[in-house]
Structure formats: structure tokens, C-alpha cells
């Protein structure tokens, strides 16, 4: 176990972490952040889990961006400029930013430091926790042959539906090996419907462009700095200023979709290529999105919705049949691709809980379209709801 390293590349992470990191360095270089591990599934962790987890984190300190990886980013992500790639060249994980405690079968974890540095921890940490959990609890998965055939089966369903799909499953994958196997199958068999993966390292291995834009923490930080009412708007404004229309998908549910649509004015509705849906009823959301575009005399068929909320072939069939000829779609499928191995998948998250935009720490919250996906301190959630009249 000790010689085994779960994360073997600095790029074994979701693409949106790098795009956000670039924006943070440019706009908020001195801001700090705190993150916390949330065990939604109440999983019981085996004895000494914390020690083995720390060993894996310590190994991450030696990861460096290789020349070949830099060339891959230059070629496939031209909007990540050379000043950012120079930063990434020098970047190394600092395990001192992560505190882990185990009490009985519970794991507590806090991450704290400059936002521009700590932003990269969340996804690989979750991937490590997931892989170690299955390894140390000696859970037996189905065979690799069966995993490949299940992936092909799903792919055939998506091909029949003629829907575009992406793979978003790094954070809760069964293991790196399974993730790689699934991606190999998707890359070899998925043309022209498979759009790529959010995992930058595996995108490099399989010569695909990585996909993704921004996560909820981008908007959550803006709420801490500028207030809940205008967080969505300023977050979009700043994003556009950095990327000039590239990576143009807006995230719709940090403070519920009705609040997002209030901020998604005519200018943004025109310049952003579409919206990501990550919580709540997808059909209701689609109707609201179409209504919103029509209000500004924008033809919805020129826009798209990226659906990414806990998808499987049944849900995709249901959503895509409703959206057909109304608005374009793409489906980001996570755990259902990378952790469909005959075992229950883990329900874990790591979320930003506090931000220090300037002089003092401010609790941050996310008010999803459904209560279960909301995060943050109860008092702050109440305060945000009051301010936003939710």
C-alpha cells in the first residue's frame, strides 16, 4: 500500500479547477479559502484511514507539470495564457494546507490557504478518499470485462438517442484504473457523440480536449465579496473579462435558478453559449431557460443546456426527448460512468466553507435548487434566504 500512489499527475483533476485557478490568480491573488469534507453518505471509515490518506497526500507534493503536459495545454487550451502556465510549472501541492483527523469511524478534513493554491485540492482528494475506501474495506468490484461491456451498453443507448455526452466522474470514481478503462472505451467507441472528459490528465493520455468551465465556489466567493444579490452577475462579468467568450457556459444554481435568471441579463444571455443545470427538476428548468431566452428574442436553438445532475441513461432519455428541437443539450455523466462496478457509490463532497476576500473570513453558502445539495452554516443560509427572498 505504501508504494502505491493514487494521483500520479498534477493534471489528474477536473478541468474547471485549472480554469478557475487561472481567473483567481488574475483577479483575487491574495484571497484565501477554507474547505471542508462532508460525509453525506455517513460512510464508516476503517482504522488508520487518516494515516494512509496522509501518506497519499504527502506524495502529491512531488508532482510537477511535465513539458509534455504543458505542450498539451498550450495546444488544446489556448485561452490559458503563458503567465498561468508558468505558474502551473512552478506549482507544487503543499500537504500542510490539509488537516485530517480521524475519530473512530469518522473522518474530518479542513483545507486552508491562498485560494489560488488550495483550489486544486478538492477533486484529487475526493478521488483518493474514494479509491482508498474501496481498497481498505476490501470491496469486490465486477470484472474489467464487465465494466467495459456496461460502458459500451450505455454508449449504445446514448448513440441511439443521438445525444452529446461528456465524462465528469473523477471525484467519485471507483479507482484510477476503472476511470482509465471507461475513458478508453468511450474514446474508442464513442465517436461522434462522446465530447471528452473533464479529467485533464486522462484527456492528455487519450488525446482529447478537456471539457468544463467553472464550479459553484466561483460564485460563492463572489457572494462573500460582493453580496448574494449580485454574485451571479459579477461572477459572469469577471469570467467573461478573463475568457472573452471562451468557456462560455454559465452555472445556474449557486443561489437557485430564479436568482440566477434575474442576473442573466440580455447581454450575458447573448454572449454565453449556454447554461449548466446541476440541481432541481430538469424539465422545469428547461422550460424556464427557453422562456428566458425568448424574453430577450434569442432563439433557444442557438443555445445549449449542459445537464450534470446525477445522470444515467434513463434520465438522459427523458430529458433529451423533452428538449428535442427546442434547445441544444449536452450531458455530463459522472459517477454512473466511473463507479458503476456493482457496489454502492460514495456520497461525499468537499466544499468551500469560508472565504477571506479582504480583511475578514466570511462564511460562504450554496443554495441549490434542492435542499439536499445546499451547503454552509445554518445561520448564513437563513441570512442568504432572507436577503434573496427565497
Amino acid at each position: 500500500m505504501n508504494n502505491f500512489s493514487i494521483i500520479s499527475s498534477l493534471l489528474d483533476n477536473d478541468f474547471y479547477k485549472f480554469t478557475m485557478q487561472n481567473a483567481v490568480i488574475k483577479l483575487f491573488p491574495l484571497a484565501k479559502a477554507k474547505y471542508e469534507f462532508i460525509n453525506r453518505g455517513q460512510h464508516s471509515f476503517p482504522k488508520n484511514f487518516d494515516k494512509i490518506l496522509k501518506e497519499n497526500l504527502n506524495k502529491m507534493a512531488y508532482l510537477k507539470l511535465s513539458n509534455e503536459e504543458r505542450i498539451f495545454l498550450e495546444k488544446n487550451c489556448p485561452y490559458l495564457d503563458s503567465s498561468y502556465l508558468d505558474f502551473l510549472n512552478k506549482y507544487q501541492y503543499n500537504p500542510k494546507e490539509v488537516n485530517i483527523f480521524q475519530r473512530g469511524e469518522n473522518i474530518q478534513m479542513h483545507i486552508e490557504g491562498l485560494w489560488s493554491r488550495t483550489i486544486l485540492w478538492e477533486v484529487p482528494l475526493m478521488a483518493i478518499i474514494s479509491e482508498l475506501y474501496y481498497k481498505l474495506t476490501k470491496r469486490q468490484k465486477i470484472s474489467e470485462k464487465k465494466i467495459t461491456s456496461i460502458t459500451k451498453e450505455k454508449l449504445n443507448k446514448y448513440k441511439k438517442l443521438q445525444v452529446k455526452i461528456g465524462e465528469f466522474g473523477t471525484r467519485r470514481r471507483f479507482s484510477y484504473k476503472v476511470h482509465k478503462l471507461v475513458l478508453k472505451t468511450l474514446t474508442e467507441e464513442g465517436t461522434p457523440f462522446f465530447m471528452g472528459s473533464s479529467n485533464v490528465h486522462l484527456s492528455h493520455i487519450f488525446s482529447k480536449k478537456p471539457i468544463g468551465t467553472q464550479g459553484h465556489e466561483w460564485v460563492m466567493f463572489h457572494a462573500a465579496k460582493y453580496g448574494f444579490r449580485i454574485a451571479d452577475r459579477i461572477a459572469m462579468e469577471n469570467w467573461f473579462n478573463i475568457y472573452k467568450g471562451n468557456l462560455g457556459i454559465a452555472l445556474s444554481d449557486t443561489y437557485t435558478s430564479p436568482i440566477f435568471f434575474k442576473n442573466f441579463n440580455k447581454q450575458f444571455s447573448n454572449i454565453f453559449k449556454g447554461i449548466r443545470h446541476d440541481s432541481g427538476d430538469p424539465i422545469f428548468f428547461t422550460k424556464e431557460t427557453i422562456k428566458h431566452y425568448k424574453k430577450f428574442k434569442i432563439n433557444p436553438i442557438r443555445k445549449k443546456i449542459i445537464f450534470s445532475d446525477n445522470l444515467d441513461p434513463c434520465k438522459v432519455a427523458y430529458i433529451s426527448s423533452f428538449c428535442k428541437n427546442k434547445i441544444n443539450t449536452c450531458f455530463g455523466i459522472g459517477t454512473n460512468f466511473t463507479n458503476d462496478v456493482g457496489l454502492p457509490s460514495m456520497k461525499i463532497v468537499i466544499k468551500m466553507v469560508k472565504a477571506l476576500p479582504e480583511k475578514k473570513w466570511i462564511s460562504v453558502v450554496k443554495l441549490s435548487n434542492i435542499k439536499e445539495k445546499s451547503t454552509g452554516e445554518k445561520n448564513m443560509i437563513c441570512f442568504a434566504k432572507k436577503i434573496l427572498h427565497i
Side-chain angles (χ1 to χ4, degrees):
M1 190 69 188
N2 290 1
N3 301 324
F4 175 75
S5 192
I6 289 173
I7 305 291
S8 59
S9 162
L10 188 68
L11 297 186
D12 189 0
N13 205 329
D14 277 341
F15 184 51
Y16 73 0
K17 285 292 180 172
F18 299 105
T19 57
M20 287 192 292
Q21 185 182 46
N22 173 45
V24 171
I25 290 162
K26 306 247 186 324
L27 299 174
F28 311 110
L30 302 176
K32 290 184 174 180
K34 287 182 187 177
Y35 299 80
E36 210 168 84
F37 172 69
I38 304 164
N39 182 2
R40 275 187 189 155
Q42 309 279 293
H43 305 285
S44 301
F45 290 95
K47 202 178 168 195
N48 293 329
F49 190 90
D50 58 336
K51 291 185 178 63
I52 298 163
L53 182 54
K54 280 176 190 168
E55 280 172 28
N56 266 278
L57 296 201
N58 292 337
K59 287 178 191 162
M60 286 174 69
Y62 301 101
L63 298 174
K64 295 280 281 180
L65 188 74
S66 71
N67 273 347
E68 206 186 312
E69 287 173 329
R70 179 170 177 145
I71 291 161
F72 170 77
L73 292 174
E74 282 170 346
K75 189 178 156 203
N76 290 283
C77 320
Y79 35 77
L80 295 177
D81 63 2
S82 58
S83 69
Y84 171 65
L85 295 180
D86 291 345
F87 170 90
L88 210 54
N89 258 128
K90 293 188 182 79
Y91 182 90
Q92 279 175 288
Y93 281 105
N94 177 3
K96 289 194 175 85
E97 292 164 347
V98 186
N99 283 309
I100 303 161
F101 321 90
Q102 181 162 357
R103 291 195 177 89
E105 294 178 331
N106 290 323
I107 291 285
Q108 284 184 316
M109 189 189 313
H110 305 280
I111 304 159
E112 185 180 328
L114 279 173
W115 189 25
S116 61
R117 291 192 42 80
T118 53
I119 197 164
L120 290 192
W121 277 114
E122 174 194 347
V123 177
L125 264 180
M126 284 176 68
I128 292 172
I129 291 167
S130 186
E131 184 157 347
L132 282 180
Y133 176 79
Y134 291 112
K135 210 175 221 31
L136 297 174
T137 53
K138 299 186 168 46
R139 304 289 169 102
Q140 289 304 306
K141 66 169 175 57
I142 53 176
S143 70
E144 291 187 5
K145 197 176 165 191
K146 184 87 175 113
I147 291 168
T148 304
S149 81
I150 286 174
T151 306
K152 283 182 184 171
E153 234 169 81
K154 288 174 190 165
L155 205 43
N156 288 333
K157 287 178 182 172
Y158 295 135
K159 282 180 175 177
K160 271 202 187 103
L161 293 168
Q162 298 200 314
V163 293
K164 293 195 159 87
I165 53 160
E167 180 277 308
F168 286 11
T170 305
R171 61 189 61 222
R172 294 183 198 92
R173 65 192 182 195
F174 177 81
S175 67
Y176 172 76
K177 201 176 174 187
V178 166
H179 193 177
K180 195 174 176 183
L181 181 68
V182 166
L183 255 188
K184 184 176 187 284
T185 310
L186 292 173
T187 306
E188 286 170 1
E189 316 261 339
T191 317
F193 299 104
F194 177 56
M195 306 309 291
S197 168
S198 64
N199 186 292
V200 188
H201 161 63
L202 291 170
S203 296
H204 176 217
I205 286 178
F206 294 108
S207 304
K208 297 286 282 184
K209 270 187 183 166
I211 54 175
T213 52
Q214 59 188 247
H216 294 99
E217 70 185 280
W218 178 249
V219 188
M220 287 157 76
F221 175 85
H222 280 76
K225 190 166 169 67
Y226 303 104
F228 293 110
R229 284 200 192 98
I230 56 170
D232 280 308
R233 180 165 63 78
I234 300 182
M236 284 186 273
E237 213 163 86
N238 279 334
W239 195 256
F240 182 75
N241 290 339
I242 295 287
Y243 290 112
K244 308 287 184 258
N246 289 305
L247 307 173
I249 299 293
L251 184 54
S252 64
D253 68 333
T254 315
Y255 297 111
T256 73
S257 298
I259 300 299
F260 165 78
F261 283 123
K262 279 182 188 165
N263 282 278
F264 197 47
N265 60 25
K266 188 175 184 174
Q267 185 191 12
F268 289 141
S269 298
N270 271 304
I271 58 182
F272 277 81
K273 295 181 184 84
I275 306 176
R276 179 154 78 92
H277 168 269
D278 197 46
S279 65
D281 180 350
I283 304 303
F284 177 75
F285 178 80
T286 302
K287 287 176 181 169
E288 291 299 298
T289 302
I290 289 168
K291 199 163 86 185
H292 180 83
Y293 280 130
K294 284 182 171 168
K295 181 177 83 181
F296 293 131
K297 306 208 169 10
I298 295 167
N299 184 354
I301 217 73
R302 285 184 19 235
K303 299 294 179 181
K304 68 172 145 190
I305 302 176
I306 313 270
F307 293 93
S308 62
D309 182 21
N310 197 15
L311 299 172
D312 57 35
C314 278
K315 282 188 189 171
V316 171
Y318 170 63
I319 297 165
S320 65
S321 74
F322 181 81
C323 293
K324 209 176 172 70
N325 302 325
K326 295 186 186 88
I327 192 163
N328 293 306
T329 57
C330 184
F331 297 88
I333 297 153
T335 314
N336 188 254
F337 268 147
T338 60
N339 202 346
D340 189 3
V341 299
L343 295 166
S345 56
M346 294 191 84
K347 289 183 172 61
I348 53 172
V349 291
I350 291 174
K351 285 285 168 206
M352 184 193 272
V353 288
K354 282 189 157 88
L356 192 138
E358 278 146 15
K359 290 188 172 68
K360 63 173 185 156
W361 286 101
I362 295 167
S363 290
V364 297
V365 298
K366 175 184 155 205
L367 303 179
S368 217
N369 288 324
I370 56 162
K371 207 176 167 188
E372 299 79 65
K373 278 189 142 188
S374 297
T375 59
E377 279 181 10
K378 278 202 174 77
N379 291 351
M380 196 52 119
I381 287 176
C382 290
F383 178 64
K385 284 182 168 174
K386 196 176 156 185
I387 293 232
L388 297 169
H389 306 297
I390 292 172

